[in-house]
Amino acid sequence: MNLLNKRPENMERITTKALADAFIAEQVREIRAQVGEGKVLLALSGGVDSSVVAALLIKAIGKQLTCVHVNHGLMRKGESEQVIEVFGKELDANLVYVDASDRFLDLLAGVSEPEKKRKIIGGEFIKVFDEEASKLEGISFLAQGTIYPDILESDGVKAHHNVGGLPEDMEFELVEPVRLLYKDEVRVVGEALGLPHAMVYRQPFPGPGLGVRCLGAITRDRLHALREADAILREEFDKNGLAGKVWQYFIAVPDFKSVGVKNGKRYEGWPAIIRAVNTTDAMSATIKEIPYALLHHITNRITTEVEGINRVLLDLTPKPVGTIEWE
Ligand code: XMP
């Protein structure tokens, strides 16, 4: 199975563990042949594509790979920790962890315009990554989790979508071992490589992360409330068998408060908005029905456990008219 010289249309699709193993063996050979004794750098977000590329490269060249994980402070609860656990500890990779939360949140303070927020996050990501790259010596290759749909869609749409988009002037040769695969195949390969199921099957998460769900100007307290409420929603969807049935589900928290009552006292808090949609291509989306009993349970948990939240709302708007994200 020589995938490299084939176009995806003619390739046998990777649907089984055996095919994934064959792909992995082939890529290990290819990567070694391309890289030789050279050093490779990878921006590891913890998303499916970069995680699978990291695991492939670790298998092929071990410590010749350096992974840089930039925590922009807009990750979901536990995500950066999982990257450190899986790649830093279990796979014993060369992992540079950069907690740049303060840099991002300081720059974002007072900025309410969604496109401006995205630009700040994308721009700062490149800066931080660039700074880290320049501290390392002798790197001549840059690995990227480019997948086939990225190549098909490279008409500019993805450009603002991918926070991991890296500076053009970096003089590295690219290593892109999954560039001919579709997302489903990357997942099969990820499982064959032994990555955790939750990492390989995680729902799509925008590059600017919680930044586009902490609506308007981001504040640390509201961002914290959003992260906690989102973790409860994910936990309940997992426990109740919805995680595999809903394409994307999350919480958005707007920057206004309403009056409520907590513990017998007036309590002004933000609403948490639940969004749960199904789609195949994210171009249009339908609303997944969630059992009322579960909605009541989630509402109860969020309003009692999360500081700052005093109402839970459900967004019933399909796409179109609403986009999936609120910003
Ligand atoms: P919308 O909101 O346009 O979202 O209906 C469609 C899909 O794209 C994701 N999305 C983003 N992904 N950077 C990304 O990497 C972004 O700025 C961004 N905005 C939206 C969204 O989560 C959904 O899956």
Side-chain angles (χ1 to χ4, degrees), residues 118 158 160-163 204-208 212-213 247-248 250 282 319 322-327:
R118 274 206 179 76
K158 257 275 184 180
H160 93 280
H161 260 197
N162 254 346
V163 164
F205 186 58
V212 293
R213 298 177 183 171
W247 195 79
Q248 200 171 13
F250 58 86
K319 176 180 179 177
T323 46
I324 296 176
E325 303 289 348
W326 271 56
E327 287 190 337

Side-chain angles (χ1 to χ4, degrees), residues 238-254:
D238 262 343
K239 266 201 230 158
N240 291 281
L242 284 173
K245 296 192 188 130
V246 187
W247 195 79
Q248 200 171 13
Y249 47 97
F250 58 86
I251 299 278
V253 177

Side-chain angles (χ1 to χ4, degrees), residues 233-301:
L233 182 79
R234 285 195 288 145
E235 184 190 325
E236 291 298 333
F237 269 44
D238 262 343
K239 266 201 230 158
N240 291 281
L242 284 173
K245 296 192 188 130
V246 187
W247 195 79
Q248 200 171 13
Y249 47 97
F250 58 86
I251 299 278
V253 177
D255 63 348
F256 60 81
K257 288 186 170 178
S258 70
V259 176
V261 190
K262 256 194 201 184
N263 305 321
K265 282 198 206 119
R266 181 185 168 100
Y267 186 96
E268 290 185 7
W270 304 290
I273 302 164
I274 299 176
R275 186 124 176 88
V277 300
N278 272 339
T279 177
T280 45
D281 56 7
M283 300 295 285
S284 63
T286 55
I287 297 304
K288 176 70 185 174
E289 292 202 2
I290 308 166
Y292 259 90
L294 179 58
L295 285 171
H296 285 303
H297 178 63
I298 291 171
T299 302
N300 183 49
R301 280 199 61 192

Side-chain angles (χ1 to χ4, degrees), residues 220-237:
R220 287 166 198 252
D221 53 355
R222 196 156 51 85
L223 179 63
H224 179 73
L226 163 61
R227 183 176 284 122
E228 293 299 316
D230 181 70
I232 291 173
L233 182 79
R234 285 195 288 145
E235 184 190 325
E236 291 298 333
F237 269 44

